[in-house]
Amino acid sequence: MTPTPGPATSDNPDRTAVPPQDPGQASVTETESPAERPDAPRAGVWIRGVGVVAIIVAALAALAMLAAQSLPERAGPPIEDIAIERTVLEPGQISLTLRNVGPDPVTVAQVFVNDAFVDVVGAEEPLGRLASETITLDYPWITGQPYLISMLTNTGLVIEHEIPAAVDTPAPGADFFVTMALLGTYVGIIPVLLGMLLLPVLRRVSADVVRFVLAVTVGLLAFLAFDGASEGFELASQSGGAFGGTALVVLGAAAAFLTLMGIDRFLRARRAHADAAGASGLRLAVMIAAGIGLHNLGEGLAIGSAYAVGELALGAFLVLGFTLHNTTEGLAIVAPLTRRRTQVITLLGLGMLAGAPAILGAVLGAGVGNTEVSALLLGVGVGAIIQVIIQIAPSLRSDDRTAAGPWVLAGIGAGMLLMFVTALAVPA
């Protein structure tokens, strides 16, 4: 019979007697996890956090008041800078929307058009930082003639704005919206749908050919991203930098990239019980159509803005050029759909998703004409396309290779070259 161990004695110093505990009594050695703590300590943490934030705000306010009283305002003369955000030409008058993009208030004292003094309505009070105001010039301008507008501030600074060719600014109305809708349809929706007609051909080719077409798609999208970024930075440089200038393009690109990344994660989760290959192909086609649609939004902005200021003549050559250029976008959309059956209504939906934003862009470009909004939306298109390229990249690898083959690299180059050649046909 084995004896039962008894209490620890001096003969067994390693054993420690543990007094019996009441089952309802918690051990003093147990600690509560943060999730098991009562709500009272959590409320205390929030109260302390709010208190710290209040102290920081009060300290910053006191520091600002102290600096305003103890430091000189400026070591030199005032810095005046005005950006012209919008120009509207109507019979017998020119309206300019001004925004102060400098650190100091600006007062427009006199205005000259081609060195001739003109009467001005508006800008009686100083224009504060980032404030905007519209002034109207009484001047009988002539269609097609260039004009140089010189604004003289009360400190003697001359700020100039050039109108390359004067033309009536289109007024929003039924005819205007119909024209912009037709323009967006011609250069956006129809070319994309024409390119999507190649889907039956792609379904009858081998997997290597499909992979090559996807590589061409990457080349197309890379060219579109570069083209959109170039236009965005050019517009941002003309905006005067009131709201960040080129930073708006980067902000728009980052916002679009993160948004589409979130949409992609959502679509991945929703296709858990669907056919993996088919659902993945449709998801990729949706992402490509969305990215191209955001790019076409920026493209419509550029077209509408150019039309509003008389720098673009609408006609058959313009439509033909954009059709050749944008038909390749339809090919990019249907490339992931070669291994699944897709309903016609789904294809039409993808075409509208990619092409219809051109209508909205044309309306905004011609009706609003704000270069900073255009730069932001062009950045949105760039970010969307970059995200789509990342989505396509894994599909370029063959089953037995870990890297893209030479035909894939050739396809990327062919896609960029194709977009460059078709872009030469666009008269804008």
Side-chain angles (χ1 to χ4, degrees):
M1 182 176 211
T2 305
T4 303
T9 62
S10 58
D11 296 336
N12 190 5
D14 294 335
R15 288 182 173 271
T16 304
V18 180
Q21 296 181 350
D22 186 357
Q25 181 182 0
S27 172
V28 296
T29 60
E30 294 180 355
T31 58
E32 294 178 340
S33 64
E36 297 173 347
R37 292 175 183 174
D39 294 337
R42 294 184 180 179
V45 172
W46 279 104
I47 293 175
R48 286 194 294 270
V50 172
V52 171
V53 172
I55 293 174
I56 294 175
V57 171
L60 292 177
L63 180 61
M65 295 177 59
L66 178 63
Q69 296 178 0
S70 60
L71 298 177
E73 183 177 355
R74 189 178 299 281
I79 299 177
E80 299 176 324
D81 192 8
I82 291 180
I84 290 81
E85 292 188 336
R86 179 167 170 78
T87 303
V88 177
L89 284 84
E90 299 175 345
Q93 66 180 24
I94 303 174
S95 297
L96 302 176
T97 300
L98 313 179
R99 185 176 296 277
N100 181 8
V101 296
D104 298 315
V106 179
T107 301
V108 178
Q110 293 179 337
V111 179
F112 300 86
V113 178
N114 288 356
D115 296 329
F117 175 77
V118 296
D119 294 332
V120 182
V121 177
E124 291 86 2
E125 300 295 331
L127 196 61
R129 171 162 174 74
L130 297 183
S132 65
E133 187 172 357
T134 300
I135 62 174
T136 301
L137 315 179
D138 185 11
Y139 188 83
W141 54 272
I142 301 174
T143 301
Q145 294 296 316
Y147 293 97
L148 179 64
I149 300 175
S150 304
M151 292 171 286
L152 180 66
T153 68
N154 60 344
T155 62
L157 178 67
V158 178
I159 300 174
E160 296 182 338
H161 173 64
E162 183 180 3
I163 301 177
V167 63
D168 272 322
T169 301
D175 294 339
F176 166 76
F177 288 112
V178 168
T179 300
M180 291 299 101
L182 287 175
L183 178 60
T185 302
Y186 291 154
V187 305
I189 297 177
I190 293 178
V192 171
L193 293 178
L194 289 177
M196 295 175 70
L197 294 177
L198 293 172
L199 178 59
V201 178
L202 295 178
R203 285 176 173 169
R204 289 171 171 81
V205 298
S206 64
D208 291 335
V209 175
V210 173
R211 193 173 294 112
F212 176 80
V213 173
L214 284 174
V216 172
T217 297
V218 171
L220 302 177
L221 296 175
F223 185 92
L224 291 178
F226 175 79
D227 184 60
S230 300
E231 293 183 11
F233 287 130
E234 182 179 358
L235 283 176
S237 64
Q238 300 172 2
S239 66
F243 296 100
T246 55
L248 286 174
V249 183
V250 179
L251 178 63
F257 182 87
L258 295 176
T259 300
L260 285 184
M261 184 69 74
I263 295 174
D264 176 63
R265 294 292 185 267
F266 174 77
L267 293 177
R268 285 177 184 268
R270 291 294 299 271
R271 70 178 180 89
H273 302 289
D275 174 61
S280 178
L282 180 59
R283 176 183 58 82
L284 187 55
V286 171
M287 300 300 292
I288 294 175
I292 291 177
L294 291 175
H295 170 77
N296 285 336
L297 175 64
E299 196 171 71
L301 282 168
I303 295 174
S305 300
Y307 171 71
V309 298
E311 296 179 355
L312 183 67
L314 304 183
F317 189 65
L318 172 76
V319 173
L320 179 61
F322 270 104
T323 301
L324 291 174
H325 185 59
N326 292 348
T327 297
T328 53
E329 297 175 355
L331 174 64
I333 295 172
V334 298
L337 302 177
T338 56
R339 294 298 176 260
R340 62 165 285 148
R341 298 187 63 85
T342 308
Q343 297 181 354
V344 176
I345 189 64
T346 301
L347 295 175
L348 291 176
L350 292 173
M352 293 296 294
L353 179 61
I359 300 176
L360 177 61
V363 172
L364 291 176
V368 178
N370 190 298
T371 55
E372 292 175 335
V373 173
S374 300
L376 176 64
L377 294 180
L378 283 170
V380 167
V382 172
I385 290 175
I386 293 175
Q387 205 279 335
V388 171
I389 292 176
I390 294 176
Q391 293 290 320
I392 300 177
S395 302
L396 301 181
R397 298 177 181 178
S398 59
D399 298 335
D400 55 348
R401 295 187 180 183
T402 58
W407 282 106
V408 170
L409 300 178
I412 295 175
M416 298 182 68
L417 180 61
L418 180 61
M419 290 299 287
F420 173 76
V421 172
T422 56
L424 296 178
V426 179

